[in-house]
């Protein structure tokens, strides 16, 4: 496959990254975002979650029997929220960053992709025991099983706003070929204890510095791990993409979250970024004088000029 049609001059990944994605179902790309891009994002995480830390001296919680691996617990998701967020545009627009959309287009071999899920997540040492069993994430992305066709799959991208070492609860994962060997190609939501024990020695760590991203598919076995460094925090944003129009995949429709601050996104996103959440581009037949006026009434700070300009040009 030539990446030429999916990539730009400002491309932040290589052919090799896409080859790894195609082979392993997952790829870690270090330093995808710059410290300058991350600084305002980190401020936003502090606005949302800074007061949730259990205290500088807090130590790791680990309630497991020795030798066993973890499980899902509600406490792990105590500081977890869907986009949009009550903070500045920086965090709100990070999941819609053009470089992520470009990666998604190349990984899914699609001209047009949609962001269908994005959540921020803060974990703190002592906040919970974050150690999970191996699982796949497709249970809440589709009602059936992931497609065999890469173009109908998803790319779930975890963006690290803070350094994520193993002591900061790095995600652990098993590549597709290794997972297939252990599981004979099966994808149960939760492998049994014997299978968990066989997956364990094959796990790789997604540890990487702040600004890195870890992209994985919904059929890759992985698990969260515990934060063990005293007083540490891990801030991540997830951005999940699918081919536009892929009805196999969903989370909830964005308007379900209609009470959230969409005006922040409309006031700051480009038309290309808004297209990632299903807003027709300028020039699309949806835009008429009436739809423009009504949308502008809903989001007064939205810049309707490119849409109005395209409409005038067509008239
Ligand atoms: O946060 C992580 O490192 C992974 C968590 C996870 O896989 C999940 O909750 O489904
Ligand atoms: Fe997961």
């Amino acid at each position: 496959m030539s990446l030429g049609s999916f990539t730009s001059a400002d491309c932040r990944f290589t052919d090799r990254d896409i080859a790894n994605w195609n082979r392993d179902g997952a790829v870690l790309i270090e330093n995808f975002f710059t410290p300058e891009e991350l600084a305002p994002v980190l401020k936003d995480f502090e606005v949302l979650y800074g007061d949730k830390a259990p205290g500088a001296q807090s130590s790791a919680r680990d309630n497991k029997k020795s030798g066993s691996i973890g499980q899902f617990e509600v406490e792990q998701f105590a500081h977890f929220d869907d986009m949009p967020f009550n903070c500045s545009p920086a965090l709100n627009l990070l999941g819609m960053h053009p470089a992520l959309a470009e990666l998604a287009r190349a990984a899914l071999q699609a001209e047009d992709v949609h962001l269908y899920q994005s959540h921020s997540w803060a974990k703190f040492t002592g906040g919970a025991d974050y150690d999970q069993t191996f699982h796949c994430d497709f249970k809440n992305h589709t009602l059936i099983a992931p497609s065999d066709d890469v173009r109908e799959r998803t790319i779930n991208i975890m963006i690290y706003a803070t350094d994520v070492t193993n002591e900061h609860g790095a995600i652990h994962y098993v590549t597709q070929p290794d997972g297939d060997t252990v599981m004979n190609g099966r994808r149960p939501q939760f492998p049994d204890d014997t299978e968990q024990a066989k997956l364990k020695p094959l796990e790789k760590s997604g540890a990487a510095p702040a600004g890195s991203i870890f992209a994985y598919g919904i059929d890759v076995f992985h698990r969260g791990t515990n934060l063990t460094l005293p007083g540490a925090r891990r801030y991540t944003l997830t951005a999940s993409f699918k081919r536009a129009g892929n009805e196999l995949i969903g989370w909830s429709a964005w308007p379900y979250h209609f009470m959230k601050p969409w005006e922040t996104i409309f006031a700051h996103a480009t038309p290309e970024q808004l297209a990632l959440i299903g807003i027709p581009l300028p020039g699309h037949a949806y835009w008429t004088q009436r739809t423009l006026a009504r949308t502008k009434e809903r989001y007064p700070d939205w810049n309707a000029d490119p849409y109005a300009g395209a409409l005038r040009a067509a008239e």
Side-chain angles (χ1 to χ4, degrees), residues 127-150:
D129 181 354
Y130 297 98
D131 208 45
Q132 298 175 331
T133 41
F134 287 106
H135 63 278
C136 292
D137 280 347
F138 65 84
K139 61 183 173 298
N140 50 14
H141 296 238
T142 180
L143 291 178
I144 42 179
S147 173
D148 288 335
D149 180 348
V150 67

Side-chain angles (χ1 to χ4, degrees), residues 82-191:
D82 271 294
M83 187 186 97
F85 313 109
N86 282 311
C87 59
S88 91
L91 182 59
N92 278 294
L93 296 185
L94 185 66
M96 305 163 82
H97 195 284
L100 292 178
E102 184 168 30
L103 173 64
R105 285 194 294 272
L108 299 175
Q109 300 172 26
E111 296 289 335
D112 203 5
V113 294
H114 274 188
L115 179 73
Y116 68 93
Q117 183 191 80
S118 181
H119 44 242
S120 58
W121 198 354
K123 296 183 178 183
F124 300 98
T125 305
D129 181 354
Y130 297 98
D131 208 45
Q132 298 175 331
T133 41
F134 287 106
H135 63 278
C136 292
D137 280 347
F138 65 84
K139 61 183 173 298
N140 50 14
H141 296 238
T142 180
L143 291 178
I144 42 179
S147 173
D148 288 335
D149 180 348
V150 67
R151 291 166 300 183
E152 303 303 314
R153 294 158 84 99
T154 71
I155 180 166
N156 310 316
I157 305 171
M158 191 191 282
I159 303 155
Y160 302 170
T162 51
D163 287 337
V164 181
T165 69
N166 283 327
E167 291 181 293
H168 291 82
I171 191 169
H172 285 188
Y173 68 103
V174 174
T175 63
Q176 287 289 32
D178 284 347
D180 280 339
T181 305
V182 171
M183 301 302 296
N184 273 326
R186 290 168 47 246
R187 285 295 180 277
Q189 294 293 322
F190 293 103

Side-chain angles (χ1 to χ4, degrees), residues 14-35:
T14 62
D15 287 5
R16 197 190 170 93
D17 292 323
I18 298 298
N20 289 346
W21 158 261
N22 285 323
R23 186 192 62 205
D24 294 342
V27 60
L28 183 65
I29 307 178
E30 295 203 353
N31 304 311
F32 195 88
F33 291 106
T34 64

